[in-house]
Amino acid sequence: MPDTDNTQERTLYEIIGGESRLRELVDRFYDIMQLEADFAGIHAMHPVPNDSSREKLFMFLSGWMGGPNLFIEKYGHPMLRARHLPFAIGTSERDQWLRAMAMALEDLGYDYDLRLRLMTAFFQTADWMRNRPH
């Protein structure tokens, strides 16, 4: 009997709610980073205003989650690690980024299982960005 459950075929982009929900997530993430003193370290790494950073993260996550490859279409291969090498990123910066994203996901009401799935994937990418031990 064929599997009629198509949830395995849906992309993260579709599961989170597509473009509008992804944009909400990115905006909430940057708002948290900008407003909460706990995230001053990573906030300082971004230009002010951070509109271009918001747009680039939105475009990257769109493709990363299986939606339109907006970042690649505009800028080419993301080369994430190379693009982040000018910034000192250690465990503190990684953890700040992850905490801000976890707060954004929770604030926007994503269910626990989806938050866990996203945070597991985000951790792998964020940990790979580290370019200093601490």
Side-chain angles (χ1 to χ4, degrees):
M1 179 169 204
D3 183 7
T4 57
D5 180 9
N6 69 352
T7 58
Q8 296 299 331
E9 297 174 20
R10 293 178 63 209
T11 65
L12 281 171
Y13 183 82
E14 293 167 327
I15 292 168
I16 68 160
E19 179 182 352
S20 63
R21 287 290 281 170
L22 178 57
R23 198 166 289 281
E24 283 179 330
L25 176 60
V26 169
D27 284 341
R28 185 66 190 135
F29 167 77
Y30 274 98
D31 291 348
I32 288 168
M33 185 175 59
Q34 195 169 338
L35 298 171
E36 300 289 334
D38 289 347
F39 307 117
I42 59 170
H43 181 253
M45 294 178 181
H46 293 81
V48 176
N50 61 21
D51 298 346
S52 66
S53 298
R54 286 176 190 249
E55 188 62 16
K56 286 178 182 175
L57 181 60
F58 166 77
M59 293 171 75
F60 170 75
L61 288 179
S62 175
W64 184 83
M65 291 183 172
N69 280 316
L70 304 173
F71 190 95
I72 291 172
E73 290 169 7
K74 186 166 185 175
Y75 299 105
H77 190 282
M79 300 183 302
L80 284 183
R81 189 149 166 83
R83 290 181 196 269
H84 288 81
L85 280 176
F87 307 100
I89 301 173
T91 54
S92 175
E93 293 77 16
R94 176 202 64 197
D95 292 349
Q96 286 178 51
W97 194 98
L98 290 168
R99 280 196 320 273
M101 185 57 76
M103 288 174 67
L105 288 165
E106 188 170 352
D107 286 355
L108 294 176
Y110 288 99
D111 71 53
Y112 176 81
D113 290 338
L114 180 55
R115 290 192 330 252
L116 182 61
R117 181 176 173 188
L118 286 166
M119 290 307 298
T120 299
F122 284 143
F123 176 84
Q124 293 170 350
T125 302
D127 193 54
W128 184 58
M129 294 293 103
R130 286 186 310 117
N131 55 30
R132 65 183 179 102
H134 302 292

